[in-house]
Amino acid sequence: MGEILNKIYDMTAIGAIVEDPRFLIMYALAFVLLYLGIKKEFEPLLLVPIAFGVLIANFPGGGMGVLGADGEGLVHYMKDGVMVAKNVYEMSLPEIAHDLGIMNLIYYALIKSGLLPPIIFMGVGALTDFGPMLRNLKLAIFGAGAQFGIFAVLLVASQFFTLQEAGSLAIIGGADGPTAIFTTLKLAPHLLAPIAIAAYSYMALVPVIIPLVVKLTCSKKELMINMKEQDKLYPSKTEFKNMRALKIIFPIAVTTIVAIIVPDAVSLVGMLMFGNLIKEIGANTSRLFETASNGIMNAATIFLGLSVGATMTVDAFLNWQTLGIVAGGFLAFGFSIFGGILLVKLMNLFSKKKINPLIGATGLSAVPMASRVANDIALKYDPKNHVLNYCMSSNVAGVIGSAVAAGILISFLG
Amino acid sequence: MNLILLQATVAELSNWDKFTEALLLMTIGMLTVFTVLLIIIALGTLLIKTVNKFFPEEVKPVAKAAAAVQAVDQNIQEAINKAIMAISGGKKQAQKIEKI
């Protein structure tokens, strides 16, 4: 009887959890992320798969945790009771699935190969409307100001990490999950787990972080600047005689220009603009648009979320380097928001037409959540001050800005 | 140029070297991002002007379409009025008919 009970005990994960209670911290982390995603509705489409990935990756014996390869590409795992080390890049996909489990198959085939981030960018492009940006073209410059956090944190992090690691950490300031993953895969793949988690967690916490930075850096008077009133006082001379044609030509032209200036950003910007193009063409490419924005985007998000979450195993996550990344990522995020606000303040010094600093704060890539949050803040100060369309201009420009910043980091550090 | 060092084994760089490289990268990076977005703004402005000049949207014959809708409405209105008069023995007539 006792022997049977012992076997049952060995079959469960209880023994391993008792032996290494750090697993409990990971479960707590997964539950907190699930709570934020489900109850607080912070980016649930991303946070729920990531959190669930964290949960299922941390059950000893479950085989759902992603095994990170070391600098030489070696993964260490138990096979038939013996510890083996194999070069994961020389293993076939069926072998990875058989020896390391399906989560590693998904991770190495879709994430580590760099496939999913551009695919997700295509979906983001299909869901993005460049109309608000084209109508308020000058505001797009704040999409550049809000990349300040990336390079500011690169400067600080270079003292604690290698330049490649610092670059990967700093890209969190772009507030773009796929861009962070893409850059990290190129520069410091061993840090993918904490960087992806930090990037997505802070993106989910946009409704908390933007109000915090805005509160610390903006006055009530500045936040009450009404953009529509400013437009009436200083009306724009630009008229649009064919918005549809403009929206079709725009992604083609931007791709061409960015490809010439920063070729390393093409895989992200090019796919973003392709997704947008098939949306704007309309009925003739509607089937492609629907597939890119629904089927492919949703499938990619599920696989990305689950496998990124599954990289957060006890050994990969619970260390001082991760804590440094979490802290550095927060700084990058905060500095980026501040960079956008600072640029608005500078421009307001020299311009008659005043701009609400919230439009600078949304120069991040987190579309459209950052704009929605900024709009809510503006409405608190003045119920008639709807800044959503203005914020969308800098917000959409931020997607391009962060992809360009990533291209620069990859180009110089990769 | 210092940037050549970035391609080298950066792990061997001292903290000061890494700081100067990061500072240089910050300058280049911010300048490039600003340049790209300024070019996109200029490109957008140019595209708006070009599209306005060469591809202005055709003005649809809205007036004719509206008139056609009006004609249909009148027919319906007459039919409704005839029905009301038939029921009320010619005593009543609809004064206002609106689509809900």
Side-chain angles (χ1 to χ4, degrees):
Chain A
M1 186 65 185
E3 198 177 317
I4 292 171
L5 284 174
N6 270 341
K7 276 191 176 175
I8 291 173
Y9 180 76
D10 288 343
M11 183 192 76
T12 66
I14 296 169
I17 293 169
V18 170
E19 207 171 286
D20 189 352
R22 291 183 305 162
F23 284 112
L24 298 173
I25 299 173
M26 300 309 290
Y27 302 150
L29 187 67
F31 295 148
V32 169
L33 293 176
L34 280 170
Y35 172 78
L36 292 175
I38 298 167
K39 180 73 179 170
K40 292 283 179 183
E41 297 178 4
F42 289 169
E43 292 265 7
L45 291 176
L46 285 171
L47 215 50
V48 171
I50 288 176
F52 213 79
V54 175
L55 187 66
I56 57 177
N58 285 289
F59 291 108
M64 290 294 270
V66 169
L67 294 176
D70 62 20
E72 292 167 357
L74 294 175
V75 285
H76 304 264
Y77 61 98
M78 295 290 284
K79 189 178 183 183
D80 303 327
V82 184
M83 182 62 87
V84 291
K86 277 191 179 178
N87 189 326
V88 74
Y89 303 115
E90 289 172 0
M91 292 171 78
S92 66
L93 290 179
E95 196 181 1
I96 291 176
H98 181 264
D99 285 7
L100 309 178
I102 55 159
M103 199 56 90
N104 281 284
L105 174 71
I106 294 170
Y107 175 75
Y108 282 102
L110 302 179
I111 310 282
K112 197 81 172 177
S113 63
L115 176 68
L116 283 191
I119 293 285
I120 287 187
F121 252 63
M122 178 178 71
V124 171
L127 294 170
T128 300
D129 180 9
F130 282 106
M133 181 176 146
L134 288 163
R135 284 193 186 89
N136 302 288
L137 210 45
K138 284 176 187 168
L139 301 180
I141 197 65
F142 301 120
Q147 308 310 319
F148 171 70
I150 295 176
F151 296 104
V153 166
L154 172 71
L155 209 60
V156 179
S158 68
Q159 300 305 294
F160 306 99
F161 296 89
T162 67
L163 277 173
Q164 280 84 354
E165 289 170 343
S168 301
L169 191 170
I171 200 68
I172 296 171
D176 196 306
T179 303
I181 289 174
F182 191 77
T183 310
T184 308
L185 283 172
K186 301 274 182 187
L187 299 182
H190 57 286
L191 295 183
L192 183 65
I195 285 174
I197 295 293
Y200 278 110
S201 303
Y202 291 138
M203 276 171 68
L205 291 171
V206 158
V208 178
I209 301 174
I210 289 184
L212 179 73
V213 179
V214 166
K215 202 174 178 181
L216 289 172
T217 55
C218 301
S219 67
K220 189 180 173 185
K221 191 184 166 191
E222 286 173 320
L223 294 172
M224 286 183 76
I225 295 173
N226 190 309
M227 294 302 291
K228 280 182 184 161
E229 279 175 13
Q230 292 293 318
D231 275 351
K232 280 179 193 166
L233 286 171
Y234 308 98
S236 167
K237 290 171 188 168
T238 312
E239 57 172 344
F240 297 90
K241 291 184 179 173
N242 192 345
M243 195 50 147
R244 185 169 176 263
L246 188 62
K247 281 183 174 181
I248 291 173
I249 300 170
F250 186 72
I252 303 169
V254 169
T255 306
T256 311
I257 294 291
V258 173
I260 291 168
I261 301 173
V262 193
D264 277 309
V266 175
S267 44
L268 294 177
V269 176
M271 292 300 275
L272 178 85
M273 293 300 169
F274 170 70
N276 187 253
L277 180 66
I278 55 176
K279 169 186 176 259
E280 296 301 346
I281 289 172
N284 289 340
T285 51
S286 62
R287 282 160 55 191
L288 301 184
F289 160 66
E290 279 161 24
T291 310
S293 60
N294 285 311
I296 291 179
M297 176 76 164
N298 294 341
T301 306
I302 289 173
F303 289 134
L304 184 99
L306 279 176
S307 52
V308 162
T311 57
M312 270 176 70
T313 52
V314 165
D315 294 329
F317 199 75
L318 291 180
N319 55 59
W320 288 109
Q321 199 176 36
T322 300
L323 289 177
I325 288 167
V326 170
F330 182 79
L331 278 181
F333 219 90
F335 277 137
S336 284
I337 298 167
F338 175 65
I341 291 173
L342 192 67
L343 189 61
V344 172
K345 286 178 180 244
L346 277 174
M347 285 177 81
N348 280 348
L349 284 178
F350 303 103
S351 170
K352 281 183 187 172
K353 185 176 180 177
K354 302 297 177 198
I355 299 166
N356 193 312
L358 287 166
I359 290 150
T362 51
L364 296 168
S365 180
V367 176
M369 193 192 257
S371 294
R372 270 192 248 133
V373 170
N375 192 51
D376 288 345
I377 297 172
L379 291 175
K380 268 184 198 168
Y381 287 89
D382 175 3
K384 287 179 184 173
N385 194 8
H386 294 273
V387 294
L388 186 68
N389 270 347
Y390 302 95
C391 290
M392 280 301 286
S393 176
S394 58
N395 211 177
V396 171
V399 180
I400 301 172
S402 61
V404 170
I408 295 160
L409 290 175
I410 292 167
S411 167
F412 283 109
L413 300 173
Chain B
M1 195 176 168
N2 278 350
L3 282 173
I4 295 167
L5 284 172
L6 293 175
Q7 309 290 348
T9 50
V10 287
E12 292 167 12
L13 296 176
S14 70
N15 272 0
W16 176 248
D17 287 338
K18 285 197 287 181
F19 185 81
T20 52
E21 294 304 328
L23 195 63
L24 196 63
L25 197 51
M26 182 185 195
T27 313
I28 294 170
M30 284 308 284
L31 279 175
T32 311
V33 175
F34 268 101
T35 308
V36 168
L37 278 168
L38 281 171
I39 289 172
I40 287 174
I41 291 170
L43 180 76
T45 311
L46 184 73
L47 284 177
I48 291 167
K49 284 179 181 168
T50 312
V51 168
N52 283 352
K53 191 171 182 183
F54 297 106
F55 311 104
E57 206 164 17
E58 288 175 26
V59 181
K60 288 177 185 171
V62 180
K64 280 186 182 175
V69 171
Q70 186 64 28
V72 173
D73 279 348
Q74 269 182 350
N75 290 338
I76 294 169
Q77 203 167 333
E78 275 176 28
I80 292 170
N81 270 332
K82 279 181 184 173
I84 293 171
M85 285 170 81
I87 292 167
S88 64
K91 289 176 185 171
K92 291 181 180 176
Q93 200 174 345
Q95 290 194 333
K96 194 179 180 185
I97 299 168
E98 281 182 344
K99 273 188 181 177
I100 298 171

